[in-house]
Amino acid sequence: MRDLRRQLAGALGAAWFATACAPHLAVADNQPSGQDFSLIERGRYLAVLADCTGCHTDPNSEVQFGGGRSIETPFGNVLASNITPDNDTGIGAWSDDEFDAAVRFGKRPDGKLLYPAMPYPYYTHMSRADIVAIRAWLNTLPSVHNPVDENQLPFPFNIRTGMHAWDGLYFSPGSVKPNPNKSAQWNRGAYLVLGPGHCAACHTPKTTLGGDVSARPLQGSPLQGWFAPDITASEALGLGKWSVEDIVAYLKTGHNRFSAATGPMAEEVADSTSHINAADLEAIAVFLKDQAGPSASGGTPLSAHDPAMVAGGAIYLDRCAACHREDGKGIPFLIPDLALASSVASREPTSLLRVVVHGSQSVATAGEPTAPAMPAFGWQLTDAQIAAVTTFVRNSWGHAAPATSSGEVHDVRERGKAMAD
Amino acid sequence: MTIRRRDLLTGTALVLVGERLASAEVISGSLPWRPDAGAPPEAVTPGPWKFFTNEEAVMVEALVDRIIPPDPQTPGGKGAGCAVYLDRQLAGGYGHNEGLYNLPPFKEGSKQQGPQSEKVLADQYREWLAALDRYCQSQGGKHFAEFPAERQDEILQGLESKTVKLEGTDGGKFFEQLLKDTQEGFFADPIYGGNRDMCAWKMIGFPGARYDYRDWVARHNERYPHPPVSIGGGRADWTQR
Amino acid sequence: MARKLPSKDVVIVGLGWTGSILANELTDEGLSVAAIERGPWRDTATDFPPTYIQDELRYRIRHELFLRPSQTTFTFRNKQSETALPIRTWGAFMPMNGVGGGGVHWNAETWRFLPSDFVLRTHLTQRYGARFLPADMTIQDYGLTYDDLEPHYDAFEYLCGTSGTAGNLKGKIQEGGNPFEGPRSRPYPTPAQEQPFGPALFAKAAREMGYKPFPQPSGNLSQPYRNPLGVRLGACSYCGYCEWFGCANYSKASPQTTILPVLVRKPNFQARDNSEVTRINLDPSGKRATGVTFVDTNGNEWEQPADLVILSAFTIFNVQLLLLSKIGKPYDPQTNQGVIGRNFTHQTVSNIHAFFDKSKFIFNPFISSGSIGMCVDEFNGDNFDHGPHGFVGGGYFGQVQTSGRPIQNTLVPPGTPRWGAKWKEGVRDSYLSTLNPGTGVHGSMYSYRDVYTDLDPTYRDRLGRPLVRITMDFHENELKQNAFITDKMAEVYHAMGAQQVVKLTRKGPYDITQYQTTHLNGGAIMGTDPKTSALNRYLQSWDVPNVFVTGASAFPQNAGYNPTGTVGALAYWAAAAIRSKYLKSPGPLVHA
């Protein structure tokens, strides 16, 4: 036992582990002991893949997984629950079956349904063994007494029974079956993307009821004032011009030759993908590069004589070229290449506008610590000017997109006044 | 310390637009950053004088228009807004010796020891302008602005060479300060009130607030073709037509 | 009553270049490090964005990124017989403030000193005899050699990505570089920057006159670079808003662009901004520091206990803190006893204005960077025989024109009125065809008995502490040196085809209102003898062994080069000594 503790302390490198205060163990049937190192380590890695901390850890708190963080949904806010082993305010008293029902089926022990802010429609692709492993790892965390009133949604969304209907429309429980015509690597990537990675939760367009538009998987979606880009292999709108190495570098370090993770993806990289092993990142990339997406973009680019292009081009030369260069190429790993950066190519300009108006800091990781930031231009350029320069950028260097309107810029400004990133 | 979107929705974090917290912070873990952070300059807007009285303004406009006279190609000091520039500067921190060491005792030292006056610059200008006006009155019952240009130049030359003495104050120092401030206002970014329409920059061929000449370094002895740009918002080309 | 903070292994006073280097080195050693910086945190996209940093009035003329004299300043007099008066507004130099220190707004001119510079007294005495040196010249050997420092120069240059052309690789002179430099172990990390027309023309003329011009080594990078810490820099865009300004596109080496992104991520590092250290605390024996006391912007006093104190607060502030903390014996020029405050120096600089035919020359001076230029080093250090000339020391000269910003670069030929229609016409005609290199001649200033710093008896800062008093004037030696080199420089501009060349030779007395670089040095010098130096060769205080003092305050005299390269190298050298020797056995590293 002593050896195991030392091993665990060494391997997981956390001082708290050696003094884990009375971990609450719910030993599942026919499973290895909840204290088995390999199980716990597998659970830790799965929790990284699933990015549990992204919602369940309050960044202003020193404790992990104590909940209380507000998750913005199109219908209002939900607070993430406390998933430490605390008996009263966490999940310490839950059985493994109850935990599995929540994570993979969206059902709480009291029978009420979870809101899909908890991405159970994707976690359903994981196996029960995966969930038990995660549980075993969660059980090793310090208990935190933190009562959370999760349901902050306004009427009528706060009536959980409404979720039955939603689940009927949008929830297909059960794992994704491996495709025998594809490689093991591809299938691993499919599992990671569709399951714990829950990429579709942000990157798949949503219906008005907030369910996936199943006909357009991973083709981009607005989210919390940003636009999560298309991550299919679409040349015009997605990752078609990215190599597998480019995708892997981006996920591992938050940066690659031409793009940088910012906004919600910055957190995702910092908390999750930068800690995923190289083989898994490559599998994700291989899978994504095989996802069909829209073949064409918004049509032909606007003419260079279009007034918006002329004005936007002048603004670009005077204001943007100092960093992004006259040819838009930027500096690899430092300043995004506008010909290839996803926020430029996207179907909607929301992310691009947000970055231009309010500025943005890219993610810092051990592999790429620089974290270069874009300054805010909102004070210096009018709505019309920002509309012109973003129109210019989205119709240059191989891109084609409808012109940005002053109204779109105005909306981003207004939304930004109430929030920070 | 990054403020997250989610925390703002629960109202637990501050929003700071365009300002940096000026109290001591502990920094660890990540590079501090906030959206819309920074301290962009406030552009001077046309309007009533903020520091000069109307009489003083008339005198100053005449003064700057002799220091930098108008010509067919380029406005003079008045048309370029140098008086507006100086007005706003004296109304602000510059005029109030903001940031300077203003503790006593005040003693005059050698020239090498630099300025030691207790008077803030705004008060000093007031004193100088009043003294100049008194001088002009004594020279023919007129204000400076009422003299013909040649006479105005004579007075300025006299101040410069210290042959014209102002009563109770140092006319030579006045001239040097006015010369410096006028020329600064002429060449500074138009957001400060002078260099209207970037006229001074156009005059000399200075491209203003541009930031990238990588494609031009190696082009030796070639005229740079692009018009100047100001911090306050570029040039006519920025507007869709 | 100061509130006591949890103890740290190391406290660093001032988070500029050397503070950042020491913090990074010592956190790598596993130590807990707290850095305390008087000024604000500074960050590229927030504080020097390409939206508004291009503002000559705000940043160069009103010098907004610098220390405000109202926060603290110094007093100045030429001679001991005078009363020192406060420097109420900056002139001759401009002290920095804020995280990154001078590294934020420096020119990025990144030089190494000559081998002879480190053993100056020995070298000059051997070559010219002791009587050749003025009796009151107090130059000393540094206590280490160029060879000791070479790996650390290399470390600093590779941290920064310095752009240059090597002149001496392991003893072999290289075409295109500085043939006088000490041997370097490997080339610069990035190639030299491209030169605009002015420097290229200068180099051509200089070459034809028999000189060996070379590009100034530059921390404004010629190409994107990833440094050994994994931090990335961009390529300089020759914006012309370099010195006095922060760099908006990550292409000037600074603590922000080379170290801080990695440093802040370390769990054992913590920085405090807007916190001014007011003294280093000593135990009752006076021989051991227990930490520092600092004041926040609310005026609250705090104590940061630590086992090791790194004083990295810029030259004069290092001296001020040593004096106020009673570390080391204050220097008395009358008796020539004491060490803190002695051997204070600045830089001997002068300039040329050269006016060319506007129909033949378009220089586009606005295409520039802080360190752009072609230089000639034939008259630096002891690179030439001083015997016939009656002075020692020297400097480089070069067409190093770092901007075309109009408030300061609208010159008119001699004889043109300073205002009026003729002035306006002169400016219009001259702007694009005039060369104004700035510190065209960049010469050494050697140390003298009567040039020093101490505490002023009268004037105090806003916290009630005595200001540092600077007693400084030029000596004949430096004025002769400057006249000689300025004349040489003027010859090149004539050879370039200038119609008129104006020499602005440096003249005494030393004037606190004329900007002459911020290369202040000395006051807490390194050396081999505790009677004439404050620090041993590892920058460790002779008096209080757990205090190390970095920066140019360690220079016993100034050389004819910008100091930052040597400041960075000495910081790495001291860090190496702390890591390999001091931590294993805390105590004096040198027994004099």
Side-chain angles (χ1 to χ4, degrees), chain B residues 27 101 105 113 176 192 221, chain C residues 55 76 271 362 418 459-460:
Chain B
I27 296 118
Y101 182 82
Q113 287 179 303
E176 293 304 319
Y192 294 106
N221 222 3
Chain C
D55 188 336
F76 163 76
I362 302 173
R418 298 162 68 216
Y459 292 96
R460 297 184 173 256

Side-chain angles (χ1 to χ4, degrees), chain C residues 415-581:
Chain C
T416 314
R418 298 162 68 216
W419 55 279
K422 285 265 173 274
W423 168 82
K424 197 180 181 199
E425 192 188 309
V427 164
R428 174 187 292 136
D429 290 344
S430 306
Y431 173 73
L432 290 176
S433 54
T434 300
L435 291 178
N436 174 20
T439 47
V441 173
H442 190 279
S444 57
M445 185 185 279
Y446 289 166
S447 40
Y448 295 89
R449 202 166 137 173
D450 62 350
V451 178
Y452 66 99
T453 50
D454 64 357
L455 292 177
D456 193 275
T458 309
Y459 292 96
R460 297 184 173 256
D461 69 12
R462 77 202 191 287
L463 299 172
R465 299 177 303 164
L467 301 181
V468 169
R469 174 171 63 181
I470 298 170
T471 305
M472 161 111 80
D473 203 355
F474 283 110
H475 282 243
E476 224 12 68
N477 183 71
E478 273 65 36
L479 297 178
K480 270 192 185 156
Q481 174 230 109
N482 184 266
F484 175 79
I485 307 177
T486 309
D487 285 348
K488 294 287 183 198
M489 182 171 173
E491 287 170 8
V492 180
Y493 284 81
H494 284 296
M496 286 161 76
Q499 289 176 322
Q500 283 172 293
V501 177
V502 178
K503 288 187 293 192
L504 299 159
T505 310
R506 183 62 50 191
K507 299 260 189 281
Y510 177 88
D511 188 335
I512 209 71
T513 68
Q514 306 291 309
Y515 190 72
Q516 292 160 72
T517 80
T518 301
H519 309 158
L520 300 172
N521 326 273
I525 65 175
M526 60 193 294
T528 51
D529 181 354
K531 289 207 206 58
T532 54
S533 58
L535 314 172
N536 62 29
R537 67 201 298 259
Y538 300 112
L539 305 190
Q540 180 186 39
S541 163
W542 290 110
D543 301 273
V544 182
N546 67 336
V547 172
F548 285 72
V549 186
T550 60
S553 39
F555 294 0
Q557 59 277 336
N558 198 8
Y561 299 102
N562 306 62
T564 305
T566 304
V567 163
L570 282 171
Y572 274 111
W573 158 264
I578 294 172
R579 291 179 76 167
S580 63
K581 299 188 223 283

Side-chain angles (χ1 to χ4, degrees), chain B residues 33-100:
Chain B
W33 181 85
R34 297 183 184 91
D36 299 305
E42 263 192 61
V44 161
T45 45
W49 302 103
K50 290 198 173 11
F51 173 75
F52 293 133
T53 63
N54 285 329
E55 292 76 30
E56 286 168 338
V58 168
M59 184 172 12
V60 172
E61 285 188 319
L63 284 164
V64 302
D65 227 27
R66 294 322 303 156
I67 290 177
I68 306 176
D71 63 53
Q73 286 140 333
T74 310
K78 178 176 169 181
C82 294
V84 174
Y85 163 82
L86 187 55
D87 175 72
R88 303 303 199 263
Q89 290 289 308
L90 292 176
Y94 180 61
H96 293 89
N97 288 17
E98 196 179 83
L100 305 192

